[in-house]
Amino acid sequence: MAGVSGCIKYSMFIFNFVFWLCGVVILALAIWIRVSDDTQEILSSEDLGSSPYIAVNLLIAVGAVIMILGFLGCCGAIRESRCMLLLFFIGLLVILLLQVAAGILGAAFKPESDRILNETLYENTKLLSTTDGSGKEFQQVIIGFQEEFKCCGLVNGASDWGNNFQQYPKLCECQDAQELCTDYDGKRVYKQPCISFIKNLLAKNVIIVIGIAFGLAVVEILGLVFSMVLYCQIGSK
């Protein structure tokens, strides 16, 4: 090992090899989503705008960066290259700082994001009552959501569907307990609008994202420690 601890060297290599594999998986998955014929129809939906493309492109960038950092870390550990280890350390530190900054900004702008979410949901209510076909895909998504979460409409209940309410025979059909149902236009439908369920679902997903971010932060800190210890040991040869 020429003065460098074998345990630290190979621990660093294994850590970065797993890190590199994660980058490969993320990049491959993102590219597959981007070019798949099935997902192209979803990504190109006018109702969804450009947001899905931005998310997928960001995922591709993240996968590529993780692959590059993993490669630098692996090569730096095996070849005992201080330059590669330093580049790995700086890159990982930048990512960690960006995560911290994103977390702070997310907390600071939470009220604003809640306001935008409310405005978006209220605006999309119009798509449920439109009859010109422009909101067809969105309507199908909400129908599936209603069946799963036993709710009806987005904000105001069954009235959100307007003239489309009679176009779907089993729309919002309620066969559960009495307190969950109400009568509307001659049908027994779910009383609760879906807006609260959507907000709860998003809140749960945010918690999952925060948990993943904390897990990544721990892994990144370990990577920083491994790389700096190895960097210092190589320098003391």
Side-chain angles (χ1 to χ4, degrees):
M1 293 293 297
V4 179
S5 171
C7 179
I8 295 177
K9 178 177 180 177
Y10 286 106
S11 295
M12 179 70 180
F13 175 80
I14 293 171
F15 171 85
N16 283 287
F17 182 71
V18 173
F19 198 62
W20 178 81
L21 283 179
C22 289
V24 171
V25 172
I26 292 172
L27 184 61
L29 181 62
I31 292 175
W32 177 80
I33 292 173
R34 192 70 170 79
V35 303
S36 171
D37 291 336
D38 294 333
T39 55
Q40 278 298 309
E41 296 182 6
I42 299 174
L43 293 174
S44 301
S45 171
E46 294 181 359
D47 299 335
L48 297 177
S50 60
S51 297
Y53 281 110
I54 295 173
V56 173
N57 291 338
L58 182 61
L59 206 57
I60 291 174
V62 169
V65 170
I66 290 176
M67 277 185 63
I68 293 171
L69 287 178
F71 175 78
L72 287 173
C74 286
C75 290
I78 291 300
R79 298 180 62 183
E80 299 183 12
S81 170
R82 298 189 81 202
C83 179
M84 287 186 173
L85 287 173
L86 185 59
L87 287 173
F88 171 81
F89 180 88
I90 293 172
L92 206 55
L93 181 61
V94 169
I95 291 177
L96 183 60
L97 291 176
L98 287 175
Q99 282 181 220
V100 173
I104 294 173
L105 289 174
F109 287 97
K110 187 178 184 302
E112 181 68 12
S113 63
D114 290 341
R115 183 187 65 79
I116 293 173
L117 174 61
N118 282 328
E119 289 180 356
T120 301
L121 290 174
Y122 276 85
E123 184 67 23
N124 285 341
T125 302
K126 299 175 183 177
L127 293 173
L128 297 183
S129 58
T130 185
T131 57
D132 59 8
S134 60
K136 196 72 173 179
E137 292 181 22
F138 182 75
Q139 291 170 9
Q140 293 299 325
V141 170
I142 295 300
I143 288 173
F145 190 90
Q146 289 177 159
E147 292 176 352
E148 181 176 355
F149 290 92
K150 298 182 178 180
C151 56
C152 187
L154 273 177
V155 178
N156 304 306
S159 61
D160 288 341
W161 287 94
N163 294 330
N164 287 326
F165 184 75
Q166 294 295 342
Q167 300 299 318
Y168 301 98
K170 293 188 177 182
L171 186 67
C172 299
E173 185 178 40
C174 180
Q175 298 178 346
D176 293 320
Q178 183 74 17
E179 61 270 16
L180 298 177
C181 306
T182 188
D183 293 319
Y184 180 82
D185 203 7
K187 289 185 180 180
R188 198 77 171 152
V189 299
Y190 287 109
K191 183 189 303 182
Q192 183 74 25
C194 294
I195 186 170
S196 58
F197 292 96
I198 293 174
K199 287 183 176 180
N200 290 336
L201 186 62
L202 289 174
K204 289 178 182 177
N205 288 335
V206 167
I207 293 173
I208 293 173
V209 170
I210 292 173
I212 293 173
F214 271 111
L216 284 174
V218 171
V219 172
E220 287 160 3
I221 291 171
L222 287 175
L224 291 173
V225 172
F226 274 129
S227 60
M228 187 48 61
V229 170
L230 190 54
Y231 177 87
C232 293
Q233 286 196 0
I234 293 171
S236 64
K237 287 172 60 176

